[in-house]
Amino acid sequence: MSKTKVHRLGDLQLKIMKVLWDSNEATVADVHQSLAGERDLAYTTVATMLRKMEARGLARHRVDGRSFVYRPAVGSDAVTRGMSDHLLDRLFEGNLADMVSHLLTTREVSREELSKLEKLIAERKKSL
Amino acid sequence: MSKTKVHRLGDLQLKIMKVLWDSNEATVADVHQSLAGERDLAYTTVATMLRKMEARGLARHRVDGRSFVYRPAVGSDAVTRGMSDHLLDRLFEGNLADMVSHLLTTREVSREELSKLEKLIAERKKSL
DNA sequence: CTTCATCTACTACCTTGGTAGTATTACCAG
DNA sequence: CTGGTAATACTACCAAGGTAGTAGATGAAG
């Protein structure tokens, strides 16, 4: 089991993962392109990061001509889950209700969003 | 406006902050003591970390005899908020409902917790 | 063949969190 | 006064994220 620690992704790594998840396969140039505007990084920065990420088990690559084509090695679900869990544990000692309640009480939520959540909770309750 | 970036606290730093929040004032020895068992750190490790944290604006200290008495310089609210927001932005592009819904759908929640949340949402809705 | 663009590889830094040893200081017991 | 103890200060590392320059290889254009 590789047990890739998927709960500690830096900002850049996460952004890169998102590109990979969206495109499923991407060359360094593709990723660099996708990130342009938002972040103005050197091409080599992206390349280096991708190599590091592969070493960490976050991505894999295959060779196409002279280029490396990267693809994600972990799913976005696992990452989202891992990172959320990490925060949940660290901040709320694993108490989910505490976390949700904190989220809900400390910021703006529209009536629509609340209704959506109400529906979600109702559904969830039924399936217990 | 010190603008202390309060969204990136390491595991140890957060644990230390929790001790400070709980005790309001604590010496290095106190913190070290509080952490013992859970984590077996050298006394100097705690001392160093506290010094670093003070440099980062997370804590302050006053002198009592030969000892430093530390107190938090940022509230637990701000930290909880900052860290949650950071994750919310990074993972869910700031969409709160998405985050809550992810939390609710990907793990176990008891009927009681769901009811609690329902109530919370109802309250929230009223005050809009 | 030569030149140029394009890739990857390697190396190098910087920052921050984490961890801890050594040095120094200062107080306290005898 | 003399040890010993307990504090902080200083220094030193390591790992990981982030950033990028330089070198070397290779393919394409002329």
Short mmCIF file of all heavy atoms in Angstrom, two decimals, chain C residues 3-25:
data_model
loop_
_atom_site.label_atom_id
_atom_site.label_comp_id
_atom_site.label_asym_id
_atom_site.label_seq_id
_atom_site.Cartn_x
_atom_site.Cartn_y
_atom_site.Cartn_z
P DT C 3 25.88 27.57 -36.75
OP1 DT C 3 26.59 28.81 -37.18
OP2 DT C 3 26.44 26.73 -35.68
"O5'" DT C 3 24.39 27.98 -36.37
"C5'" DT C 3 23.49 28.33 -37.45
"C4'" DT C 3 22.06 28.34 -36.94
"O4'" DT C 3 21.47 27.00 -36.98
"C3'" DT C 3 21.89 28.84 -35.50
"O3'" DT C 3 20.79 29.74 -35.50
"C2'" DT C 3 21.60 27.56 -34.71
"C1'" DT C 3 20.84 26.74 -35.75
N1 DT C 3 20.83 25.26 -35.59
C2 DT C 3 19.68 24.58 -35.85
O2 DT C 3 18.65 25.13 -36.18
N3 DT C 3 19.77 23.21 -35.72
C4 DT C 3 20.89 22.49 -35.36
O4 DT C 3 20.84 21.27 -35.30
C5 DT C 3 22.06 23.27 -35.09
C7 DT C 3 23.34 22.58 -34.69
C6 DT C 3 21.99 24.60 -35.20
P DC C 4 20.57 30.75 -34.31
OP1 DC C 4 20.45 32.12 -34.87
OP2 DC C 4 21.52 30.44 -33.22
"O5'" DC C 4 19.11 30.29 -33.86
"C5'" DC C 4 18.14 29.98 -34.86
"C4'" DC C 4 16.99 29.21 -34.22
"O4'" DC C 4 17.29 27.78 -34.21
"C3'" DC C 4 16.72 29.60 -32.77
"O3'" DC C 4 15.30 29.72 -32.63
"C2'" DC C 4 17.28 28.42 -31.97
"C1'" DC C 4 17.03 27.26 -32.93
N1 DC C 4 17.90 26.07 -32.72
C2 DC C 4 17.36 24.78 -32.86
O2 DC C 4 16.15 24.66 -33.13
N3 DC C 4 18.15 23.70 -32.69
C4 DC C 4 19.45 23.86 -32.40
N4 DC C 4 20.20 22.77 -32.27
C5 DC C 4 20.02 25.16 -32.26
C6 DC C 4 19.23 26.23 -32.42
P DA C 5 14.71 30.51 -31.41
OP1 DA C 5 14.12 31.78 -31.88
OP2 DA C 5 15.71 30.50 -30.31
"O5'" DA C 5 13.52 29.54 -31.01
"C5'" DA C 5 12.82 28.86 -32.05
"C4'" DA C 5 12.27 27.54 -31.55
"O4'" DA C 5 13.32 26.55 -31.47
"C3'" DA C 5 11.65 27.62 -30.16
"O3'" DA C 5 10.45 26.86 -30.19
"C2'" DA C 5 12.69 26.96 -29.25
"C1'" DA C 5 13.30 25.93 -30.19
N9 DA C 5 14.68 25.56 -29.89
C8 DA C 5 15.75 26.39 -29.64
N7 DA C 5 16.89 25.76 -29.45
C5 DA C 5 16.53 24.41 -29.56
C6 DA C 5 17.29 23.23 -29.46
N6 DA C 5 18.61 23.21 -29.21
N1 DA C 5 16.65 22.06 -29.62
C2 DA C 5 15.33 22.08 -29.87
N3 DA C 5 14.51 23.13 -30.00
C4 DA C 5 15.19 24.28 -29.83
P DT C 6 9.45 26.94 -29.00
OP1 DT C 6 8.09 27.00 -29.57
OP2 DT C 6 9.97 27.95 -28.06
"O5'" DT C 6 9.66 25.50 -28.34
"C5'" DT C 6 9.63 24.35 -29.18
"C4'" DT C 6 9.92 23.12 -28.34
"O4'" DT C 6 11.35 22.93 -28.20
"C3'" DT C 6 9.37 23.19 -26.91
"O3'" DT C 6 8.88 21.89 -26.60
"C2'" DT C 6 10.61 23.50 -26.08
"C1'" DT C 6 11.65 22.70 -26.85
N1 DT C 6 13.08 23.07 -26.65
C2 DT C 6 13.99 22.05 -26.61
O2 DT C 6 13.69 20.87 -26.72
N3 DT C 6 15.29 22.45 -26.43
C4 DT C 6 15.75 23.74 -26.30
O4 DT C 6 16.94 23.96 -26.16
C5 DT C 6 14.73 24.77 -26.35
C7 DT C 6 15.12 26.21 -26.21
C6 DT C 6 13.46 24.39 -26.51
P DC C 7 7.48 21.82 -25.81
OP1 DC C 7 6.48 21.18 -26.65
OP2 DC C 7 7.23 23.12 -25.16
"O5'" DC C 7 7.94 20.79 -24.70
"C5'" DC C 7 9.32 20.76 -24.37
"C4'" DC C 7 9.78 19.35 -24.10
"O4'" DC C 7 11.13 19.31 -24.53
"C3'" DC C 7 9.75 19.11 -22.59
"O3'" DC C 7 9.20 17.88 -22.21
"C2'" DC C 7 11.20 19.24 -22.16
"C1'" DC C 7 12.03 19.19 -23.43
N1 DC C 7 12.95 20.36 -23.42
C2 DC C 7 14.33 20.16 -23.39
O2 DC C 7 14.76 19.00 -23.45
N3 DC C 7 15.16 21.21 -23.28
C4 DC C 7 14.65 22.45 -23.23
N4 DC C 7 15.51 23.45 -23.12
C5 DC C 7 13.25 22.68 -23.29
C6 DC C 7 12.43 21.60 -23.38
P DT C 8 8.91 17.81 -20.62
OP1 DT C 8 7.80 16.84 -20.48
OP2 DT C 8 8.81 19.15 -20.04
"O5'" DT C 8 10.26 17.14 -20.11
"C5'" DT C 8 10.67 15.89 -20.66
"C4'" DT C 8 12.07 15.55 -20.20
"O4'" DT C 8 12.96 16.64 -20.51
"C3'" DT C 8 12.19 15.34 -18.68
"O3'" DT C 8 13.02 14.21 -18.46
"C2'" DT C 8 12.83 16.63 -18.19
"C1'" DT C 8 13.68 17.03 -19.38
N1 DT C 8 13.92 18.50 -19.47
C2 DT C 8 15.22 18.96 -19.46
O2 DT C 8 16.19 18.23 -19.37
N3 DT C 8 15.33 20.34 -19.58
C4 DT C 8 14.31 21.27 -19.68
O4 DT C 8 14.55 22.46 -19.78
C5 DT C 8 12.98 20.70 -19.67
C7 DT C 8 11.79 21.60 -19.77
C6 DT C 8 12.85 19.36 -19.57
P DA C 9 13.31 13.73 -16.97
OP1 DA C 9 13.53 12.28 -17.01
OP2 DA C 9 12.27 14.31 -16.07
"O5'" DA C 9 14.70 14.44 -16.64
"C5'" DA C 9 15.84 14.08 -17.42
"C4'" DA C 9 17.10 14.59 -16.75
"O4'" DA C 9 17.21 16.02 -16.96
"C3'" DA C 9 17.15 14.37 -15.24
"O3'" DA C 9 18.46 13.94 -14.91
"C2'" DA C 9 16.83 15.76 -14.67
"C1'" DA C 9 17.38 16.69 -15.74
N9 DA C 9 16.65 17.96 -15.88
C8 DA C 9 15.29 18.12 -15.99
N7 DA C 9 14.91 19.37 -16.15
C5 DA C 9 16.10 20.08 -16.13
C6 DA C 9 16.38 21.46 -16.24
N6 DA C 9 15.43 22.40 -16.41
N1 DA C 9 17.67 21.84 -16.18
C2 DA C 9 18.61 20.90 -16.02
N3 DA C 9 18.48 19.57 -15.90
C4 DA C 9 17.18 19.23 -15.97
P DC C 10 18.83 13.52 -13.40
OP1 DC C 10 19.83 12.45 -13.47
OP2 DC C 10 17.56 13.32 -12.65
"O5'" DC C 10 19.55 14.83 -12.90
"C5'" DC C 10 20.36 15.56 -13.85
"C4'" DC C 10 20.98 16.78 -13.19
"O4'" DC C 10 20.19 17.94 -13.47
"C3'" DC C 10 21.10 16.68 -11.68
"O3'" DC C 10 22.44 17.00 -11.34
"C2'" DC C 10 20.06 17.67 -11.15
"C1'" DC C 10 19.96 18.67 -12.29
N1 DC C 10 18.65 19.32 -12.44
C2 DC C 10 18.59 20.72 -12.63
O2 DC C 10 19.64 21.36 -12.64
N3 DC C 10 17.38 21.32 -12.79
C4 DC C 10 16.28 20.58 -12.78
N4 DC C 10 15.11 21.21 -12.97
C5 DC C 10 16.30 19.17 -12.58
C6 DC C 10 17.50 18.58 -12.42
P DT C 11 22.92 16.97 -9.80
OP1 DT C 11 24.33 16.55 -9.80
OP2 DT C 11 21.91 16.28 -8.97
"O5'" DT C 11 22.87 18.52 -9.44
"C5'" DT C 11 23.24 19.47 -10.44
"C4'" DT C 11 23.01 20.85 -9.90
"O4'" DT C 11 21.66 21.29 -10.20
"C3'" DT C 11 23.16 20.96 -8.38
"O3'" DT C 11 24.12 21.97 -8.13
"C2'" DT C 11 21.76 21.28 -7.87
"C1'" DT C 11 21.11 21.92 -9.08
N1 DT C 11 19.63 21.74 -9.18
C2 DT C 11 18.85 22.85 -9.42
O2 DT C 11 19.30 23.98 -9.53
N3 DT C 11 17.51 22.59 -9.53
C4 DT C 11 16.89 21.36 -9.43
O4 DT C 11 15.68 21.25 -9.55
C5 DT C 11 17.77 20.24 -9.17
C7 DT C 11 17.19 18.86 -9.02
C6 DT C 11 19.08 20.48 -9.06
P DA C 12 24.64 22.31 -6.68
OP1 DA C 12 26.07 22.68 -6.75
OP2 DA C 12 24.18 21.24 -5.76
"O5'" DA C 12 23.80 23.63 -6.37
"C5'" DA C 12 23.42 24.46 -7.47
"C4'" DA C 12 22.53 25.56 -6.96
"O4'" DA C 12 21.14 25.26 -7.27
"C3'" DA C 12 22.60 25.76 -5.45
"O3'" DA C 12 22.71 27.14 -5.22
"C2'" DA C 12 21.28 25.21 -4.95
"C1'" DA C 12 20.37 25.50 -6.12
N9 DA C 12 19.19 24.65 -6.21
C8 DA C 12 19.12 23.29 -6.06
N7 DA C 12 17.92 22.78 -6.20
C5 DA C 12 17.13 23.90 -6.45
C6 DA C 12 15.75 24.06 -6.68
N6 DA C 12 14.91 23.05 -6.71
N1 DA C 12 15.29 25.31 -6.89
C2 DA C 12 16.15 26.34 -6.86
N3 DA C 12 17.46 26.31 -6.65
C4 DA C 12 17.90 25.06 -6.45
P DC C 13 23.45 27.66 -3.88
OP1 DC C 13 24.56 28.52 -4.28
OP2 DC C 13 23.65 26.50 -2.97
"O5'" DC C 13 22.34 28.57 -3.22
"C5'" DC C 13 21.02 28.13 -3.36
"C4'" DC C 13 20.07 29.29 -3.37
"O4'" DC C 13 18.88 28.79 -3.98
"C3'" DC C 13 19.71 29.68 -1.95
"O3'" DC C 13 19.50 31.07 -1.84
"C2'" DC C 13 18.47 28.86 -1.65
"C1'" DC C 13 17.86 28.59 -3.02
N1 DC C 13 17.37 27.19 -3.12
C2 DC C 13 16.03 27.00 -3.45
O2 DC C 13 15.34 27.98 -3.70
N3 DC C 13 15.54 25.73 -3.47
C4 DC C 13 16.33 24.69 -3.21
N4 DC C 13 15.80 23.47 -3.24
C5 DC C 13 17.71 24.88 -2.88
C6 DC C 13 18.19 26.13 -2.85
P DC C 14 19.42 31.72 -0.40
OP1 DC C 14 19.86 33.12 -0.50
OP2 DC C 14 20.03 30.78 0.58
"O5'" DC C 14 17.84 31.70 -0.15
"C5'" DC C 14 16.98 32.32 -1.10
"C4'" DC C 14 15.54 32.21 -0.63
"O4'" DC C 14 15.00 30.92 -1.00
"C3'" DC C 14 15.41 32.32 0.89
"O3'" DC C 14 14.31 33.14 1.21
"C2'" DC C 14 15.20 30.88 1.32
"C1'" DC C 14 14.45 30.29 0.13
N1 DC C 14 14.62 28.83 0.02
C2 DC C 14 13.47 28.01 -0.12
O2 DC C 14 12.36 28.54 -0.17
N3 DC C 14 13.64 26.67 -0.18
C4 DC C 14 14.85 26.14 -0.10
N4 DC C 14 14.97 24.82 -0.16
C5 DC C 14 16.03 26.95 0.05
C6 DC C 14 15.86 28.28 0.11
P DT C 15 14.04 33.61 2.69
OP1 DT C 15 13.57 35.00 2.66
OP2 DT C 15 15.20 33.19 3.53
"O5'" DT C 15 12.80 32.68 3.07
"C5'" DT C 15 11.63 32.73 2.26
"C4'" DT C 15 10.60 31.76 2.80
"O4'" DT C 15 11.00 30.40 2.48
"C3'" DT C 15 10.46 31.81 4.33
"O3'" DT C 15 9.09 31.96 4.62
"C2'" DT C 15 11.03 30.49 4.80
"C1'" DT C 15 10.83 29.59 3.60
N1 DT C 15 11.80 28.47 3.47
C2 DT C 15 11.32 27.20 3.26
O2 DT C 15 10.14 26.94 3.18
N3 DT C 15 12.28 26.23 3.14
C4 DT C 15 13.64 26.41 3.21
O4 DT C 15 14.41 25.46 3.08
C5 DT C 15 14.09 27.77 3.44
C7 DT C 15 15.55 28.06 3.53
C6 DT C 15 13.15 28.72 3.56
P DT C 16 8.70 32.39 6.14
OP1 DT C 16 7.61 33.37 6.06
OP2 DT C 16 9.93 32.67 6.91
"O5'" DT C 16 8.08 31.03 6.66
"C5'" DT C 16 7.30 30.23 5.78
"C4'" DT C 16 7.02 28.90 6.43
"O4'" DT C 16 8.03 27.94 6.07
"C3'" DT C 16 7.00 28.93 7.96
"O3'" DT C 16 5.92 28.11 8.36
"C2'" DT C 16 8.34 28.33 8.34
"C1'" DT C 16 8.51 27.30 7.23
N1 DT C 16 9.88 26.83 6.96
C2 DT C 16 10.04 25.52 6.58
O2 DT C 16 9.12 24.73 6.46
N3 DT C 16 11.34 25.15 6.34
C4 DT C 16 12.47 25.95 6.43
O4 DT C 16 13.57 25.50 6.19
C5 DT C 16 12.23 27.32 6.84
C7 DT C 16 13.36 28.27 6.97
C6 DT C 16 10.96 27.69 7.08
P DG C 17 5.32 28.25 9.80
OP1 DG C 17 3.93 28.66 9.60
OP2 DG C 17 6.23 29.01 10.68
"O5'" DG C 17 5.32 26.73 10.29
"C5'" DG C 17 4.75 25.76 9.46
"C4'" DG C 17 5.29 24.39 9.81
"O4'" DG C 17 6.64 24.28 9.36
"C3'" DG C 17 5.29 24.08 11.29
"O3'" DG C 17 4.69 22.81 11.44
"C2'" DG C 17 6.77 24.08 11.66
"C1'" DG C 17 7.43 23.66 10.36
N9 DG C 17 8.80 24.12 10.15
C8 DG C 17 9.27 25.41 10.21
N7 DG C 17 10.55 25.51 9.94
C5 DG C 17 10.95 24.20 9.70
C6 DG C 17 12.23 23.68 9.37
O6 DG C 17 13.29 24.29 9.21
N1 DG C 17 12.20 22.30 9.21
C2 DG C 17 11.08 21.52 9.36
N2 DG C 17 11.25 20.21 9.17
N3 DG C 17 9.88 21.98 9.66
C4 DG C 17 9.89 23.34 9.82
P DG C 18 4.37 22.25 12.87
OP1 DG C 18 3.28 21.28 12.71
OP2 DG C 18 4.25 23.36 13.83
"O5'" DG C 18 5.70 21.44 13.18
"C5'" DG C 18 6.07 20.41 12.29
"C4'" DG C 18 7.39 19.79 12.71
"O4'" DG C 18 8.48 20.64 12.31
"C3'" DG C 18 7.56 19.56 14.22
"O3'" DG C 18 7.83 18.18 14.40
"C2'" DG C 18 8.74 20.45 14.60
"C1'" DG C 18 9.50 20.54 13.28
N9 DG C 18 10.39 21.68 13.12
C8 DG C 18 10.08 23.01 13.27
N7 DG C 18 11.11 23.80 13.05
C5 DG C 18 12.15 22.93 12.74
C6 DG C 18 13.50 23.20 12.41
O6 DG C 18 14.07 24.30 12.33
N1 DG C 18 14.21 22.04 12.15
C2 DG C 18 13.68 20.77 12.21
N2 DG C 18 14.52 19.77 11.93
N3 DG C 18 12.43 20.51 12.51
C4 DG C 18 11.72 21.63 12.77
P DT C 19 7.70 17.55 15.85
OP1 DT C 19 7.20 16.18 15.66
OP2 DT C 19 7.01 18.48 16.75
"O5'" DT C 19 9.22 17.44 16.29
"C5'" DT C 19 10.15 16.89 15.38
"C4'" DT C 19 11.56 17.05 15.91
"O4'" DT C 19 12.12 18.28 15.40
"C3'" DT C 19 11.65 17.14 17.43
"O3'" DT C 19 12.34 16.02 17.95
"C2'" DT C 19 12.41 18.44 17.69
"C1'" DT C 19 13.05 18.75 16.34
N1 DT C 19 13.27 20.18 16.14
C2 DT C 19 14.53 20.61 15.78
O2 DT C 19 15.45 19.85 15.57
N3 DT C 19 14.67 21.97 15.68
C4 DT C 19 13.71 22.92 15.91
O4 DT C 19 13.96 24.12 15.81
C5 DT C 19 12.40 22.41 16.26
C7 DT C 19 11.28 23.37 16.52
C6 DT C 19 12.25 21.08 16.35
P DA C 20 12.49 15.79 19.50
OP1 DA C 20 12.56 14.34 19.77
OP2 DA C 20 11.52 16.63 20.22
"O5'" DA C 20 13.95 16.39 19.72
"C5'" DA C 20 14.96 15.97 18.81
"C4'" DA C 20 16.22 16.78 19.02
"O4'" DA C 20 16.06 18.11 18.50
"C3'" DA C 20 16.59 16.94 20.51
"O3'" DA C 20 17.96 16.65 20.66
"C2'" DA C 20 16.34 18.42 20.76
"C1'" DA C 20 16.70 19.00 19.39
N9 DA C 20 16.21 20.35 19.18
C8 DA C 20 14.95 20.83 19.41
N7 DA C 20 14.83 22.11 19.18
C5 DA C 20 16.10 22.51 18.78
C6 DA C 20 16.64 23.74 18.40
N6 DA C 20 15.93 24.87 18.38
N1 DA C 20 17.94 23.77 18.05
C2 DA C 20 18.64 22.65 18.08
N3 DA C 20 18.25 21.43 18.41
C4 DA C 20 16.95 21.42 18.76
P DG C 21 18.46 16.03 22.02
OP1 DG C 21 18.41 14.57 21.88
OP2 DG C 21 17.78 16.68 23.16
"O5'" DG C 21 19.98 16.50 21.97
"C5'" DG C 21 20.71 16.30 20.75
"C4'" DG C 21 21.76 17.39 20.58
"O4'" DG C 21 21.11 18.65 20.25
"C3'" DG C 21 22.58 17.66 21.84
"O3'" DG C 21 23.96 17.87 21.49
"C2'" DG C 21 21.98 18.94 22.39
"C1'" DG C 21 21.56 19.67 21.12
N9 DG C 21 20.45 20.58 21.33
C8 DG C 21 19.21 20.26 21.83
N7 DG C 21 18.40 21.28 21.91
C5 DG C 21 19.15 22.35 21.45
C6 DG C 21 18.81 23.71 21.32
O6 DG C 21 17.74 24.26 21.59
N1 DG C 21 19.87 24.46 20.81
C2 DG C 21 21.11 23.95 20.47
N2 DG C 21 22.00 24.82 20.01
N3 DG C 21 21.44 22.66 20.59
C4 DG C 21 20.42 21.93 21.08
P DT C 22 25.03 17.88 22.67
OP1 DT C 22 26.23 17.19 22.15
OP2 DT C 22 24.40 17.46 23.94
"O5'" DT C 22 25.38 19.43 22.76
"C5'" DT C 22 25.92 20.10 21.62
"C4'" DT C 22 26.11 21.56 21.93
"O4'" DT C 22 24.83 22.23 22.04
"C3'" DT C 22 26.85 21.84 23.24
"O3'" DT C 22 27.72 22.95 23.02
"C2'" DT C 22 25.72 22.20 24.19
"C1'" DT C 22 24.79 22.95 23.25
N1 DT C 22 23.38 23.05 23.66
C2 DT C 22 22.76 24.26 23.55
O2 DT C 22 23.31 25.26 23.13
N3 DT C 22 21.44 24.28 23.94
C4 DT C 22 20.70 23.23 24.43
O4 DT C 22 19.52 23.37 24.75
C5 DT C 22 21.42 21.98 24.52
C7 DT C 22 20.70 20.77 25.05
C6 DT C 22 22.71 21.94 24.14
P DA C 23 28.81 23.31 24.11
OP1 DA C 23 30.11 23.30 23.42
OP2 DA C 23 28.62 22.53 25.36
"O5'" DA C 23 28.43 24.84 24.41
"C5'" DA C 23 28.00 25.67 23.33
"C4'" DA C 23 27.46 26.97 23.89
"O4'" DA C 23 26.06 26.83 24.22
"C3'" DA C 23 28.15 27.46 25.16
"O3'" DA C 23 28.29 28.87 25.07
"C2'" DA C 23 27.17 27.05 26.26
"C1'" DA C 23 25.84 27.22 25.56
N9 DA C 23 24.74 26.41 26.06
C8 DA C 23 24.75 25.05 26.30
N7 DA C 23 23.59 24.58 26.72
C5 DA C 23 22.76 25.70 26.75
C6 DA C 23 21.41 25.87 27.10
N6 DA C 23 20.62 24.88 27.49
N1 DA C 23 20.89 27.12 27.03
C2 DA C 23 21.69 28.12 26.63
N3 DA C 23 22.98 28.08 26.26
C4 DA C 23 23.45 26.83 26.34
P DT C 24 29.31 29.63 26.09
OP1 DT C 24 30.16 30.53 25.28
OP2 DT C 24 29.93 28.66 27.03
"O5'" DT C 24 28.28 30.53 26.89
"C5'" DT C 24 27.19 31.13 26.17
"C4'" DT C 24 26.12 31.56 27.13
"O4'" DT C 24 25.23 30.46 27.45
"C3'" DT C 24 26.66 32.08 28.48
"O3'" DT C 24 26.03 33.32 28.73
"C2'" DT C 24 26.23 31.01 29.47
"C1'" DT C 24 24.94 30.52 28.82
N1 DT C 24 24.46 29.17 29.22
C2 DT C 24 23.14 29.04 29.56
O2 DT C 24 22.35 29.97 29.56
N3 DT C 24 22.75 27.77 29.90
C4 DT C 24 23.55 26.64 29.94
O4 DT C 24 23.08 25.55 30.25
C5 DT C 24 24.93 26.85 29.58
C7 DT C 24 25.88 25.69 29.59
C6 DT C 24 25.32 28.10 29.24
P DT C 25 26.71 34.30 29.84
OP1 DT C 25 27.10 35.52 29.11
OP2 DT C 25 27.67 33.58 30.68
"O5'" DT C 25 25.42 34.65 30.73
"C5'" DT C 25 24.13 34.66 30.12
"C4'" DT C 25 23.08 34.29 31.15
"O4'" DT C 25 22.94 32.86 31.26
"C3'" DT C 25 23.37 34.81 32.56
"O3'" DT C 25 22.20 35.44 33.03
"C2'" DT C 25 23.68 33.54 33.34
"C1'" DT C 25 22.80 32.53 32.63
N1 DT C 25 23.14 31.09 32.78
C2 DT C 25 22.12 30.21 33.07
O2 DT C 25 20.98 30.55 33.24
N3 DT C 25 22.51 28.89 33.16
C4 DT C 25 23.78 28.38 32.99
O4 DT C 25 23.98 27.18 33.09
C5 DT C 25 24.80 29.36 32.69
C7 DT C 25 26.22 28.91 32.49
C6 DT C 25 24.44 30.66 32.59
#
